[in-house]
Amino acid sequence: MKVFIKYISFIYLKYFFIVFLALELFFVAIDVLNNLALLPKSANLVVLFVVFSAASAVPFLLPLSLVFALIISLILLLRSGELVAFYALGVSKNALIKPVFIISCVITGLFVLLQCTPAAYAKDVKNSILELSSKNFFSFNSAFIKNKNNFIYFATIDEMNKTAPFAYIFEIEDAKLVKKVLAMDVSFSKDKWIAKTAYTQILPTDLALGKTALSYEASMNYEVLEGFEPRLLSNLNRSATSYSIIHAIATIYQTIGDDINIALIKTSLYLSVFFPFFAPFGLLALYYYAPAIPRYSNLALLGFGFVISTLCVWGLLYVLSRLSSSGTLNAELAIIAPIVVLGSFAYIKFRQAR
């Protein structure tokens, strides 16, 4: 490995960890102060709150830290004259930014992988600690879902044990209710919700005097619903905005063909997969606007402009994501398209500097 690559990588990583740690500490301090009255008296829960508060801030602070680290590194290299020295030694502008770009891509990729794990639900756990009931994280009420021609209602679901005391299934044909099922002792096993006992009311299709009236049936091991593990039902019925990548993809797949609004889940998925790449593309685009020598530039004003530009672009993407989660804008148009445009712009600047 060339010496300049080691040096640039060291400088960038050093300031990345400094900035990231500083932003994390600042965010956690503000979060603790805002929720000071709601914090539990248990010291263990307070420590857990701090940990999960820091984890919940990573999706927002990591991209900013990656870009801010480049800005600080550039300003210091310009001030010391090291940047122009690298150029004088024959190091091209593209060669100098490549190690930084690769490092930011690797860190971003690791973060995306982390979003496939339960770490994606750090915000939910943090909120459950504030509610003084960790049970709220593992159980939820009033799950209502449409699956094919059936409307299914769960009164309460124990997410940890994957059970529900009862569920109602309403079967619809041609906009008419033809069957109502009360399923008792429902549990999730082998990708299916199975009830130990079920009581079915079959409504007559022809409501006329003298025709067949209501009929009743009782059955064992009744299949209530296929797929939709407890976490997926939670994703569809909670107002939370955090979902792991795996659960978000599974939920979208399970709801194909059903009239269910999944705008919030799609937004969460795209935020986890595409939004973090704002950092590698953003720092690449910023880098080419830095001067080679500081003699004719105000470094303080340059750094301020870079920071404001980063925050404006990040803020615009955040606003678009909020509009997408509410269903106002298409998720692909609000999240994926801006990242693609930013990446294309960065690539054009890279090609122009060859």
Side-chain angles (χ1 to χ4, degrees):
M1 184 183 292
K2 296 181 179 180
V3 175
F4 82 90
I5 294 179
K6 292 183 179 179
Y7 182 72
I8 293 297
S9 300
F10 172 77
I11 293 293
Y12 178 72
L13 284 173
K14 181 178 73 172
Y15 287 110
F16 163 70
F17 286 117
I18 291 174
V19 171
F20 182 66
L21 182 61
L23 290 177
E24 279 283 348
L25 291 175
F26 177 77
F27 180 88
V28 171
I30 295 298
D31 202 19
V32 169
L33 290 175
N34 285 338
N35 298 288
L36 196 59
L38 300 176
L39 287 177
K41 296 181 180 179
S42 170
N44 292 337
L45 289 179
V46 172
V47 172
L48 287 175
F49 175 82
V50 170
V51 171
F52 285 109
S53 177
S56 65
V58 172
F60 304 101
L61 300 183
L62 183 67
L64 290 176
S65 300
L66 289 170
V67 181
F68 288 165
L70 173 77
I71 295 173
I72 295 173
S73 300
L74 273 178
I75 297 300
L76 292 177
L77 290 174
L78 281 168
R79 180 171 295 170
S80 64
E82 292 173 306
L83 188 63
V84 69
F86 280 124
Y87 293 153
L89 289 173
V91 180
S92 67
K93 208 165 188 179
N94 286 349
L96 201 62
I97 193 60
K98 276 182 180 179
V100 174
F101 180 73
I102 292 172
I103 289 172
S104 64
C105 285
V106 170
I107 294 175
T108 301
L110 292 175
F111 168 73
V112 172
L113 291 177
L114 187 65
Q115 291 298 96
C116 296
T117 69
Y121 297 103
K123 186 177 179 181
D124 287 349
V125 179
K126 183 192 75 171
N127 292 335
S128 72
I129 292 174
L130 290 178
E131 294 170 3
L132 292 177
S133 175
S134 60
K135 185 179 178 181
N136 291 334
F137 182 65
F138 298 108
S139 63
F140 54 95
N141 298 324
S142 303
F144 188 75
I145 183 172
K146 178 182 180 294
N147 182 247
K148 299 177 182 177
N149 293 327
N150 296 338
F151 289 87
I152 304 168
Y153 171 77
F154 292 91
T156 304
I157 294 181
D158 186 338
E159 197 172 313
M160 178 172 285
N161 296 319
K162 298 184 178 181
T163 59
F166 64 90
Y168 284 103
I169 303 99
F170 303 92
E171 185 175 328
I172 308 295
E173 287 185 7
D174 299 327
K176 294 182 180 179
L177 178 65
V178 297
K179 186 186 295 185
K180 174 186 173 183
V181 181
L182 172 60
M184 304 296 296
D185 296 326
V186 187
S187 60
F188 184 80
S189 177
K190 297 180 180 180
D191 203 39
K192 293 181 180 180
W193 288 94
I194 304 296
K196 290 184 178 179
T197 55
Y199 305 96
T200 305
Q201 294 180 0
I202 303 175
L203 280 70
T205 55
D206 186 9
L207 295 175
L209 189 63
K211 298 291 184 179
T212 305
L214 282 173
S215 61
Y216 298 88
E217 294 179 357
S219 56
M220 307 290 290
N221 298 323
Y222 184 86
E223 182 179 326
V224 177
L225 179 65
E226 184 176 359
F228 291 96
E229 64 178 72
R231 170 54 64 176
L232 302 189
L233 290 176
S234 173
N235 290 347
L236 289 171
N237 289 275
R238 277 180 170 171
S239 59
T241 58
S242 55
Y243 309 100
S244 74
I245 293 175
I246 293 176
H247 285 143
I249 293 174
T251 304
I252 293 172
Y253 175 77
Q254 291 284 355
T255 55
I256 292 176
D258 295 330
D259 187 18
I260 298 176
N261 184 6
I262 56 173
L264 187 62
I265 299 175
K266 288 175 65 177
T267 299
S268 176
L269 175 63
Y270 296 154
L271 283 176
S272 298
V273 176
F274 297 102
F275 184 82
F277 286 94
F278 148 78
F281 298 149
L283 64 85
L284 188 62
L286 278 179
Y287 168 74
Y288 291 103
Y289 287 96
I293 55 177
R295 181 175 299 177
Y296 305 108
S297 302
N298 186 327
L299 293 184
L301 187 61
L302 179 68
F304 178 76
F306 280 172
V307 170
I308 294 299
S309 301
T310 301
L311 292 176
C312 287
V313 175
W314 181 87
L316 176 62
L317 293 175
Y318 181 79
V319 170
L320 289 174
S321 70
R322 295 298 92 195
L323 293 175
S324 172
S325 62
S326 66
T328 305
L329 288 179
N330 182 275
E332 290 79 8
L333 183 63
I335 299 174
I336 298 179
I339 298 298
V340 171
V341 170
L342 182 61
S344 302
F345 177 74
Y347 178 73
I348 291 172
K349 301 297 290 185
F350 178 82
R351 294 285 295 183
Q352 288 176 347
R354 293 182 66 178

